[in-house]
């Protein structure tokens, strides 16, 4: 690594003091609401015996990821808005990049596992607890986190072993792949291709498993003639489908595309969708569409 850059500087969201203060208050409120929502959901799942099932075990992992994702990026952004402290060391940028890609990758794999869980619940309800056993849940959870970490290790090594010897202004509010690659004074074409292929293969495979799971679910629903089957299936799968659509839509727009389509302003907006709004909306989506979660949340709030 022939890097001479010792620190990077984030480009601010706004140079106007009054706009910066408004953005600080807005993003702080979103961040605090995200923390409160996901922590409350975690407490509800851990304390309510009715929610001690595979579905809610995976949901608790999702809530943990939704706590980590904004915590990796938002505090630094808030500091830049309030104190204009936009600098981050090379090592700090590397760590932030590794942590964020690990969380995003883990969430992709976890949503895939949750799709398989929904498939078993709808298509094999009588065998559900024997198929999705406690041991399998633990193995799948460990596997998703390990896969996310290994994926991040690959991407981080590809990006941060490049040479950085020129401009150091990152056109983003955190250390992401496209804006950091844009600052390298090395040739990045081969590494961009590897990153695109790896992201496409892993993301495409995860998406394919999710799609196939829901195709089987749809076929199972169509083969039954019992009353209320559509409503029951939607209550079982609707929340997961909504979260998957929201998460995949924003992450694909950010990562699975050629570098020449990179647009700093557009990418800042898209990254805020999956980095801030998605973690905020996930507990809301699951609580609104699930009676058991709503009851558990009411009990937690009453006890508080």
């Amino acid at each position: 690594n022939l890097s001479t850059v010792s620190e990077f500087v984030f480009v601010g969201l706004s140079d106007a003091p009054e706009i910066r203060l408004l953005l600080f208050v807005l993003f702080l409120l979103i961040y605090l609401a995200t923390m409160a929502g996901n922590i409350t959901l975690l407490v509800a799942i851990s304390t309510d015996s009715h929610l001690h099932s595979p579905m809610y075990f995976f949901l608790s992992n999702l809530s943990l990821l939704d706590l980590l994702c904004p915590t990796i990026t938002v505090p630094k952004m808030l500091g830049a808005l309030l104190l204009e402290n936009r600098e981050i060391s090379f090592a700090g940028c590397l760590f932030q990049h590794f942590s964020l890609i690990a969380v995003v990758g883990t969430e992709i794999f976890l949503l895939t596992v949750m799709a398989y869980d929904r498939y078993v619940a709808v298509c094999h309800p009588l065998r559900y607890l024997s198929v999705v056993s406690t041991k399998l849940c633990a193995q799948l959870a460990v596997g998703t986190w390990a896969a996310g970490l290994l994926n991040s290790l690959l991407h981080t090594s590809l990006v941060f072993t490049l040479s950085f010897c020129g401009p150091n202004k990152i056109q983003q509010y955190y250390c992401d792949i496209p804006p950091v690659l844009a600052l390298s004074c090395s040739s990045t074409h081969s590494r961009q291709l590897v990153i695109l292929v790896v992201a496409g293969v892993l993301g495409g495979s995860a998406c394919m498993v999710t799609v196939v799971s829901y195709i089987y679910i749809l076929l199972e629903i169509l083969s039954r003639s019992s009353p209320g089957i559509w409503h029951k299936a939607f209550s079982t799968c609707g929340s997961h489908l909504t979260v998957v659509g929201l998460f995949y839509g924003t992450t694909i727009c950010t990562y699975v595309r050629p570098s020449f389509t990179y647009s700093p302003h557009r990418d800042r907006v898209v990254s805020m969708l999956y980095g801030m709004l998605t973690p905020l909306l996930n507990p809301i989506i699951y609580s609104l569409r699930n009676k058991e979660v709503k009851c558990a949340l009411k009990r937690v709030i009453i006890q508080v």
Side-chain angles (χ1 to χ4, degrees), residues 232-283:
K232 184 178 180 181
F234 186 72
S235 65
T236 303
C237 307
S239 300
H240 180 258
L241 271 175
T242 305
V243 170
V244 166
L246 188 62
F247 183 81
Y248 270 80
T250 52
T251 51
I252 288 173
C253 288
T254 302
Y255 295 110
V256 188
R257 56 180 175 75
S259 61
F260 62 81
T261 63
Y262 172 63
S263 169
H265 300 293
R266 183 190 63 194
D267 279 28
R268 269 181 231 148
V269 175
V270 173
S271 62
M272 284 180 184
L273 288 176
Y274 82 80
M276 295 184 68
L277 290 183
T278 302
L280 171 65
L281 293 175
N282 283 353

Side-chain angles (χ1 to χ4, degrees), residues 19-280:
I19 299 298
R20 285 208 312 271
L21 182 60
L22 179 63
L23 291 175
F24 172 82
V25 173
L26 174 63
F27 293 140
L28 177 61
L29 291 175
I30 292 175
Y31 179 65
L32 292 177
T34 301
M35 295 297 103
N38 284 287
I39 289 173
T40 304
L41 189 56
L42 278 171
V43 172
I45 292 173
S46 62
T47 57
D48 195 315
S49 60
H50 296 93
L51 303 183
H52 292 174
S53 66
M55 173 184 174
Y56 299 110
F57 170 74
F58 295 129
L59 180 56
S60 65
N61 277 264
L62 181 64
S63 290
L64 181 58
L65 290 169
D66 286 339
L67 284 172
L68 292 174
C69 186
T71 301
I72 293 167
T73 60
V74 173
K76 183 65 180 177
M77 181 188 68
L78 294 175
L81 287 170
L82 188 64
L83 306 173
E84 294 192 65
N85 180 23
R86 301 177 183 176
E87 295 80 17
I88 187 171
S89 66
F90 187 90
C93 187
L94 185 153
F95 179 74
Q96 188 186 64
H97 178 277
F98 174 82
S99 302
L100 183 64
I101 300 302
V103 168
V104 172
T106 302
E107 187 156 346
I108 289 174
F109 299 131
L110 180 63
L111 289 172
T112 305
V113 169
M114 292 174 76
Y116 170 74
D117 172 69
R118 296 299 81 205
Y119 154 73
V120 178
V122 174
C123 297
H124 305 284
L126 299 179
R127 298 173 51 215
Y128 176 63
L129 292 178
S130 61
V131 174
V132 190
S133 61
T134 303
K135 181 180 179 181
L136 180 62
C137 286
Q139 291 173 340
L140 290 173
V142 171
T144 57
W145 285 86
L149 290 171
L150 290 174
N151 175 63
S152 181
L153 182 63
L154 172 63
H155 283 79
T156 303
S157 62
L158 287 170
V159 173
F160 284 88
T161 52
L162 292 166
S163 296
F164 297 90
C165 50
N168 67 339
K169 288 188 176 181
I170 297 178
Q171 299 290 327
Q172 185 57 281
Y173 67 91
Y174 63 92
C175 293
D176 199 9
I177 293 175
V180 173
L181 279 176
L183 298 179
S184 176
C185 51
S186 305
S187 174
T188 62
H189 295 297
S190 59
R191 302 199 185 197
Q192 286 177 359
L193 181 61
V194 173
I195 290 171
L196 186 63
V197 169
V198 170
V201 170
L202 292 179
S205 300
C207 187
M208 182 63 67
V209 171
T210 302
V211 170
V212 170
S213 297
Y214 276 101
I215 288 175
Y216 276 106
I217 289 172
L218 180 61
L219 292 175
E220 180 69 17
I221 293 171
L222 293 174
S223 66
R224 297 184 190 178
S225 57
S226 57
I229 184 66
W230 282 99
H231 179 267
K232 184 178 180 181
F234 186 72
S235 65
T236 303
C237 307
S239 300
H240 180 258
L241 271 175
T242 305
V243 170
V244 166
L246 188 62
F247 183 81
Y248 270 80
T250 52
T251 51
I252 288 173
C253 288
T254 302
Y255 295 110
V256 188
R257 56 180 175 75
S259 61
F260 62 81
T261 63
Y262 172 63
S263 169
H265 300 293
R266 183 190 63 194
D267 279 28
R268 269 181 231 148
V269 175
V270 173
S271 62
M272 284 180 184
L273 288 176
Y274 82 80
M276 295 184 68
L277 290 183
T278 302
L280 171 65

Side-chain angles (χ1 to χ4, degrees), residues 276-294:
M276 295 184 68
L277 290 183
T278 302
L280 171 65
L281 293 175
N282 283 353
I284 297 174
I285 292 169
Y286 273 98
S287 61
L288 287 177
R289 294 194 174 278
N290 192 301
K291 291 182 180 179
E292 290 181 324
V293 173
K294 281 193 285 189

